[in-house]
């Protein structure tokens, strides 16, 4: 009798767990600080679209500002543009955030 009750409780538990709505939360990955104002930048991983050499994504700052990035290869080197009208070669000293995003995508 105890085995039957135990099995029934196990079955009900599995049904309950299986029916849970398993939604993924947006992951924010720290990718650096903006040099002009010191804001922390977090890549919204769910916004990544494209491949390793040409992709777009969104970043949110610790103040809640959003920036859209586009990355691409030009002349064999990685470049980017943003919705804040900045652009350039990824590996300049001007944008540690762009470096952080590029390197995150290359690793994942």
């Amino acid at each position: 009798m105890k085995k039957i009750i135990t099995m029934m409780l196990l079955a009900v538990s599995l049904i309950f767990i299986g029916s849970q709505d398993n939604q993924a939360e947006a992951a924010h990955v720290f990718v650096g600080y903006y040099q002009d104002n010191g804001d922390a930048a977090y890549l919204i991983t769910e916004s990544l679209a494209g491949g390793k050499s040409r992709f777009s994504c969104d970043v949110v700052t610790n103040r809640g500002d959003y920036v859209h990035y586009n990355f691409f290869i030009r002349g064999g080197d990685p470049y980017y543009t943003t919705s804040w009208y900045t652009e350039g070669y990824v590996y300049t000293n001007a944008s540690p955030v762009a470096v952080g995003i590029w390197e995150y995508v290359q690793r994942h």
Side-chain angles (χ1 to χ4, degrees):
M1 183 69 161
K2 288 183 181 182
K3 286 184 180 182
I4 292 173
I5 293 173
T6 303
M7 294 300 278
M8 288 177 62
L9 287 174
L10 178 62
V12 169
S13 298
L14 290 174
I15 290 170
F16 179 74
I17 292 170
S19 67
Q20 296 280 327
D21 187 17
N22 296 326
Q23 293 181 345
E25 292 185 27
H28 293 181
V29 176
F30 175 76
V31 289
Y33 293 99
Y34 286 102
Q35 289 185 331
D36 60 346
N37 61 10
D39 285 356
Y42 299 89
L43 171 64
I44 304 170
T45 58
E46 287 76 18
S47 70
L48 284 166
K52 290 193 181 276
S53 63
R54 184 175 194 85
F55 62 93
S56 64
C57 62
D58 294 317
V59 167
V60 64
T61 70
N62 57 295
R63 295 179 198 226
D65 296 322
Y66 286 82
V67 186
H68 183 76
Y69 281 80
N70 288 300
F71 288 85
F72 54 92
I73 299 293
R74 181 190 302 154
D77 294 319
Y79 283 81
Y80 70 95
T81 62
T82 75
S83 59
W84 285 358
Y85 307 107
T86 58
E87 60 182 65
Y89 172 60
V90 169
Y91 290 105
T92 63
N93 291 331
S95 183
V97 172
V99 172
I101 297 167
W102 178 263
E103 291 185 353
Y104 175 85
V105 170
Q106 301 313 303
R107 286 190 312 266
H108 294 90

